[in-house]
mmCIF file of all heavy atoms in Angstrom:
data_model
loop_
_atom_site.group_PDB
_atom_site.id
_atom_site.type_symbol
_atom_site.label_atom_id
_atom_site.label_comp_id
_atom_site.label_asym_id
_atom_site.label_seq_id
_atom_site.Cartn_x
_atom_site.Cartn_y
_atom_site.Cartn_z
ATOM 1 N N PHE P 624 2.192 6.766 1.952
ATOM 2 C CA PHE P 624 2.930 7.565 2.923
ATOM 3 C C PHE P 624 4.291 6.947 3.212
ATOM 4 O O PHE P 624 5.323 7.612 3.193
ATOM 5 C CB PHE P 624 2.119 7.698 4.218
ATOM 6 C CG PHE P 624 2.849 8.435 5.299
ATOM 7 C CD1 PHE P 624 3.105 9.790 5.166
ATOM 8 C CD2 PHE P 624 3.320 7.785 6.430
ATOM 9 C CE1 PHE P 624 3.810 10.480 6.146
ATOM 10 C CE2 PHE P 624 4.019 8.464 7.408
ATOM 11 C CZ PHE P 624 4.264 9.812 7.254
ATOM 12 N N ARG P 632 10.101 2.802 11.573
ATOM 13 C CA ARG P 632 9.108 2.477 12.592
ATOM 14 C C ARG P 632 9.261 3.416 13.790
ATOM 15 O O ARG P 632 10.359 3.699 14.227
ATOM 16 C CB ARG P 632 9.249 1.017 13.038
ATOM 17 C CG ARG P 632 8.098 0.599 13.939
ATOM 18 C CD ARG P 632 8.008 -0.902 14.094
ATOM 19 N NE ARG P 632 7.706 -1.626 12.893
ATOM 20 C CZ ARG P 632 6.487 -1.761 12.357
ATOM 21 N NH1 ARG P 632 5.462 -1.187 12.928
ATOM 22 N NH2 ARG P 632 6.310 -2.465 11.270
ATOM 23 N N CYS P 633 8.138 3.893 14.311
ATOM 24 C CA CYS P 633 8.172 4.774 15.479
ATOM 25 C C CYS P 633 8.396 3.940 16.732
ATOM 26 O O CYS P 633 7.842 2.860 16.867
ATOM 27 C CB CYS P 633 6.851 5.530 15.608
ATOM 28 S SG CYS P 633 6.573 6.682 14.261
ATOM 29 N N HIS P 634 9.205 4.467 17.651
ATOM 30 C CA HIS P 634 9.518 3.698 18.855
ATOM 31 C C HIS P 634 8.505 3.906 19.964
ATOM 32 O O HIS P 634 8.410 3.107 20.881
ATOM 33 C CB HIS P 634 10.927 4.052 19.354
ATOM 34 C CG HIS P 634 11.971 3.673 18.351
ATOM 35 N ND1 HIS P 634 12.543 4.577 17.491
ATOM 36 C CD2 HIS P 634 12.509 2.477 18.033
ATOM 37 C CE1 HIS P 634 13.406 3.950 16.704
ATOM 38 N NE2 HIS P 634 13.397 2.679 17.015
ATOM 39 N N ASP P 635 7.774 5.020 19.901
ATOM 40 C CA ASP P 635 6.743 5.236 20.911
ATOM 41 C C ASP P 635 5.667 6.136 20.326
ATOM 42 O O ASP P 635 5.792 6.634 19.209
ATOM 43 C CB ASP P 635 7.329 5.837 22.195
ATOM 44 C CG ASP P 635 8.066 7.129 21.939
ATOM 45 O OD1 ASP P 635 7.678 7.886 21.021
ATOM 46 O OD2 ASP P 635 9.069 7.389 22.628
ATOM 47 N N PHE P 636 4.608 6.322 21.094
ATOM 48 C CA PHE P 636 3.458 7.072 20.600
ATOM 49 C C PHE P 636 3.806 8.541 20.355
ATOM 50 O O PHE P 636 3.199 9.199 19.505
ATOM 51 C CB PHE P 636 2.290 6.930 21.587
ATOM 52 C CG PHE P 636 0.939 7.101 20.967
ATOM 53 C CD1 PHE P 636 0.639 6.532 19.731
ATOM 54 C CD2 PHE P 636 -0.053 7.848 21.602
ATOM 55 C CE1 PHE P 636 -0.619 6.688 19.152
ATOM 56 C CE2 PHE P 636 -1.312 8.004 21.036
ATOM 57 C CZ PHE P 636 -1.596 7.430 19.806
ATOM 58 N N ARG P 637 4.784 9.063 21.080
ATOM 59 C CA ARG P 637 5.184 10.452 20.856
ATOM 60 C C ARG P 637 5.761 10.642 19.463
ATOM 61 O O ARG P 637 5.490 11.627 18.782
ATOM 62 C CB ARG P 637 6.224 10.876 21.903
ATOM 63 C CG ARG P 637 5.565 11.303 23.170
ATOM 64 C CD ARG P 637 6.508 11.739 24.274
ATOM 65 N NE ARG P 637 5.751 11.844 25.504
ATOM 66 C CZ ARG P 637 5.162 12.980 25.914
ATOM 67 N NH1 ARG P 637 5.272 14.078 25.219
ATOM 68 N NH2 ARG P 637 4.448 12.983 27.034
ATOM 69 N N GLU P 638 6.586 9.661 19.058
ATOM 70 C CA GLU P 638 7.143 9.723 17.708
ATOM 71 C C GLU P 638 6.029 9.641 16.686
ATOM 72 O O GLU P 638 6.039 10.356 15.676
ATOM 73 C CB GLU P 638 8.088 8.531 17.492
ATOM 74 C CG GLU P 638 9.555 8.864 17.544
ATOM 75 C CD GLU P 638 10.424 7.712 17.055
ATOM 76 O OE1 GLU P 638 10.547 7.563 15.826
ATOM 77 O OE2 GLU P 638 10.951 6.981 17.912
ATOM 78 N N THR P 639 5.073 8.763 16.959
ATOM 79 C CA THR P 639 3.933 8.614 16.055
ATOM 80 C C THR P 639 3.215 9.946 15.904
ATOM 81 O O THR P 639 2.879 10.362 14.791
ATOM 82 C CB THR P 639 2.954 7.566 16.605
ATOM 83 O OG1 THR P 639 3.657 6.354 16.863
ATOM 84 C CG2 THR P 639 1.844 7.296 15.607
ATOM 85 N N ALA P 640 2.989 10.622 17.021
ATOM 86 C CA ALA P 640 2.297 11.909 16.985
ATOM 87 C C ALA P 640 3.047 12.905 16.115
ATOM 88 O O ALA P 640 2.468 13.600 15.274
ATOM 89 C CB ALA P 640 2.153 12.462 18.401
ATOM 90 N N ASP P 641 4.367 12.944 16.288
ATOM 91 C CA ASP P 641 5.195 13.859 15.494
ATOM 92 C C ASP P 641 5.084 13.561 14.012
ATOM 93 O O ASP P 641 4.915 14.454 13.182
ATOM 94 C CB ASP P 641 6.665 13.722 15.900
ATOM 95 C CG ASP P 641 6.994 14.592 17.088
ATOM 96 O OD1 ASP P 641 6.194 15.514 17.389
ATOM 97 O OD2 ASP P 641 8.028 14.356 17.727
ATOM 98 N N VAL P 642 5.192 12.278 13.683
ATOM 99 C CA VAL P 642 5.132 11.889 12.279
ATOM 100 C C VAL P 642 3.782 12.262 11.680
ATOM 101 O O VAL P 642 3.689 12.780 10.565
ATOM 102 C CB VAL P 642 5.406 10.373 12.118
ATOM 103 C CG1 VAL P 642 5.082 9.904 10.715
ATOM 104 C CG2 VAL P 642 6.854 10.063 12.436
ATOM 105 N N ILE P 643 2.720 12.019 12.436
ATOM 106 C CA ILE P 643 1.382 12.321 11.933
ATOM 107 C C ILE P 643 1.217 13.817 11.693
ATOM 108 O O ILE P 643 0.787 14.254 10.625
ATOM 109 C CB ILE P 643 0.295 11.828 12.911
ATOM 110 C CG1 ILE P 643 0.267 10.301 12.966
ATOM 111 C CG2 ILE P 643 -1.084 12.349 12.499
ATOM 112 C CD1 ILE P 643 -0.671 9.758 14.031
ATOM 113 N N ALA P 644 1.598 14.604 12.698
ATOM 114 C CA ALA P 644 1.353 16.046 12.598
ATOM 115 C C ALA P 644 2.301 16.722 11.619
ATOM 116 O O ALA P 644 1.880 17.545 10.802
ATOM 117 C CB ALA P 644 1.478 16.680 13.971
ATOM 118 N N LYS P 645 3.577 16.377 11.708
ATOM 119 C CA LYS P 645 4.558 17.147 10.937
ATOM 120 C C LYS P 645 4.805 16.626 9.533
ATOM 121 O O LYS P 645 5.194 17.368 8.645
ATOM 122 C CB LYS P 645 5.887 17.192 11.688
ATOM 123 C CG LYS P 645 5.757 17.943 12.987
ATOM 124 C CD LYS P 645 7.022 17.905 13.813
ATOM 125 C CE LYS P 645 6.754 18.560 15.165
ATOM 126 N NZ LYS P 645 7.652 18.119 16.212
ATOM 127 N N ILE P 646 4.602 15.325 9.321
ATOM 128 C CA ILE P 646 4.875 14.791 7.995
ATOM 129 C C ILE P 646 3.574 14.440 7.264
ATOM 130 O O ILE P 646 3.330 14.933 6.160
ATOM 131 C CB ILE P 646 5.803 13.564 8.067
ATOM 132 C CG1 ILE P 646 7.028 13.884 8.918
ATOM 133 C CG2 ILE P 646 6.213 13.145 6.669
ATOM 134 C CD1 ILE P 646 8.031 12.776 9.022
ATOM 135 N N ALA P 647 2.740 13.625 7.889
ATOM 136 C CA ALA P 647 1.544 13.158 7.190
ATOM 137 C C ALA P 647 0.548 14.269 6.884
ATOM 138 O O ALA P 647 0.122 14.438 5.743
ATOM 139 C CB ALA P 647 0.879 12.049 7.997
ATOM 140 N N ILE P 658 0.615 19.584 18.471
ATOM 141 C CA ILE P 658 0.354 18.429 19.341
ATOM 142 C C ILE P 658 0.299 18.923 20.786
ATOM 143 O O ILE P 658 1.239 19.558 21.264
ATOM 144 C CB ILE P 658 1.500 17.410 19.210
ATOM 145 C CG1 ILE P 658 1.663 16.990 17.752
ATOM 146 C CG2 ILE P 658 1.225 16.188 20.084
ATOM 147 C CD1 ILE P 658 2.940 16.234 17.499
ATOM 148 N N TRP P 661 -1.007 15.992 26.221
ATOM 149 C CA TRP P 661 -0.596 14.607 26.430
ATOM 150 C C TRP P 661 -1.156 14.088 27.748
ATOM 151 O O TRP P 661 -1.133 14.775 28.766
ATOM 152 C CB TRP P 661 0.921 14.504 26.480
ATOM 153 C CG TRP P 661 1.528 14.403 25.125
ATOM 154 C CD1 TRP P 661 2.104 15.402 24.410
ATOM 155 C CD2 TRP P 661 1.598 13.239 24.310
ATOM 156 N NE1 TRP P 661 2.537 14.943 23.200
ATOM 157 C CE2 TRP P 661 2.231 13.608 23.102
ATOM 158 C CE3 TRP P 661 1.188 11.914 24.467
ATOM 159 C CZ2 TRP P 661 2.469 12.711 22.063
ATOM 160 C CZ3 TRP P 661 1.429 11.018 23.434
ATOM 161 C CH2 TRP P 661 2.064 11.415 22.248
ATOM 162 N N PHE P 668 -3.178 12.038 23.034
ATOM 163 C CA PHE P 668 -2.771 13.415 22.749
ATOM 164 C C PHE P 668 -3.824 14.052 21.853
ATOM 165 O O PHE P 668 -4.700 13.370 21.316
ATOM 166 C CB PHE P 668 -1.393 13.464 22.099
ATOM 167 C CG PHE P 668 -1.344 12.867 20.710
ATOM 168 C CD1 PHE P 668 -1.563 13.654 19.582
ATOM 169 C CD2 PHE P 668 -1.073 11.511 20.541
ATOM 170 C CE1 PHE P 668 -1.520 13.106 18.315
ATOM 171 C CE2 PHE P 668 -1.031 10.955 19.271
ATOM 172 C CZ PHE P 668 -1.253 11.750 18.148
ATOM 173 N N LEU P 670 -4.541 16.765 18.550
ATOM 174 C CA LEU P 670 -4.035 17.517 17.409
ATOM 175 C C LEU P 670 -4.919 18.749 17.298
ATOM 176 O O LEU P 670 -6.142 18.636 17.248
ATOM 177 C CB LEU P 670 -4.173 16.698 16.116
ATOM 178 C CG LEU P 670 -3.250 15.502 15.955
ATOM 179 C CD1 LEU P 670 -3.730 14.612 14.823
ATOM 180 C CD2 LEU P 670 -1.819 15.959 15.687
ATOM 181 N N LEU P 704 -3.071 3.662 10.850
ATOM 182 C CA LEU P 704 -2.298 3.176 11.994
ATOM 183 C C LEU P 704 -2.502 1.686 12.217
ATOM 184 O O LEU P 704 -1.588 0.986 12.662
ATOM 185 C CB LEU P 704 -2.662 3.973 13.245
ATOM 186 C CG LEU P 704 -2.101 5.396 13.231
ATOM 187 C CD1 LEU P 704 -2.617 6.207 14.411
ATOM 188 C CD2 LEU P 704 -0.580 5.372 13.270
ATOM 189 N N VAL P 707 -0.013 -0.372 10.555
ATOM 190 C CA VAL P 707 1.309 -0.465 11.177
ATOM 191 C C VAL P 707 1.160 -0.949 12.617
ATOM 192 O O VAL P 707 1.889 -0.526 13.512
ATOM 193 C CB VAL P 707 2.127 0.846 11.067
ATOM 194 C CG1 VAL P 707 2.648 1.029 9.666
ATOM 195 C CG2 VAL P 707 1.318 2.053 11.469
ATOM 196 N N MET P 709 -1.035 -0.600 15.051
ATOM 197 C CA MET P 709 -1.494 0.180 16.214
ATOM 198 C C MET P 709 -3.003 0.318 16.181
ATOM 199 O O MET P 709 -3.561 0.812 15.201
ATOM 200 C CB MET P 709 -0.891 1.585 16.184
ATOM 201 C CG MET P 709 0.507 1.659 16.734
ATOM 202 S SD MET P 709 1.037 3.383 16.759
ATOM 203 C CE MET P 709 2.007 3.407 15.271
ATOM 204 N N VAL P 711 -5.993 2.362 17.469
ATOM 205 C CA VAL P 711 -6.179 3.667 18.103
ATOM 206 C C VAL P 711 -7.633 4.083 18.054
ATOM 207 O O VAL P 711 -8.410 3.603 17.226
ATOM 208 C CB VAL P 711 -5.343 4.776 17.412
ATOM 209 C CG1 VAL P 711 -3.875 4.561 17.609
ATOM 210 C CG2 VAL P 711 -5.706 4.866 15.950
ATOM 211 N N MET P 730 -6.456 11.633 19.946
ATOM 212 C CA MET P 730 -6.013 10.305 19.528
ATOM 213 C C MET P 730 -5.558 9.517 20.726
ATOM 214 O O MET P 730 -4.744 9.998 21.517
ATOM 215 C CB MET P 730 -4.857 10.426 18.528
ATOM 216 C CG MET P 730 -5.307 11.062 17.222
ATOM 217 S SD MET P 730 -4.117 10.866 15.895
ATOM 218 C CE MET P 730 -4.095 9.106 15.693
ATOM 219 N N PHE P 732 -4.045 5.750 22.065
ATOM 220 C CA PHE P 732 -3.463 4.458 21.745
ATOM 221 C C PHE P 732 -4.178 3.391 22.563
ATOM 222 O O PHE P 732 -4.254 3.491 23.782
ATOM 223 C CB PHE P 732 -1.971 4.480 22.078
ATOM 224 C CG PHE P 732 -1.279 3.160 21.847
ATOM 225 C CD1 PHE P 732 -0.896 2.774 20.574
ATOM 226 C CD2 PHE P 732 -1.027 2.293 22.909
ATOM 227 C CE1 PHE P 732 -0.270 1.553 20.361
ATOM 228 C CE2 PHE P 732 -0.396 1.070 22.700
ATOM 229 C CZ PHE P 732 -0.018 0.710 21.424
#
Side-chain angles (χ1 to χ4, degrees):
Chain P
F624 176 68
R632 189 165 295 280
C633 294
H634 297 100
D635 56 32
F636 206 42
R637 277 180 192 269
E638 256 191 80
T639 306
D641 275 344
V642 169
I643 292 173
K645 295 175 186 156
I646 310 182
I658 303 168
W661 276 100
F668 67 91
L670 289 166
L704 287 173
V707 285
M709 278 184 261
V711 293
M730 294 194 64
F732 177 80

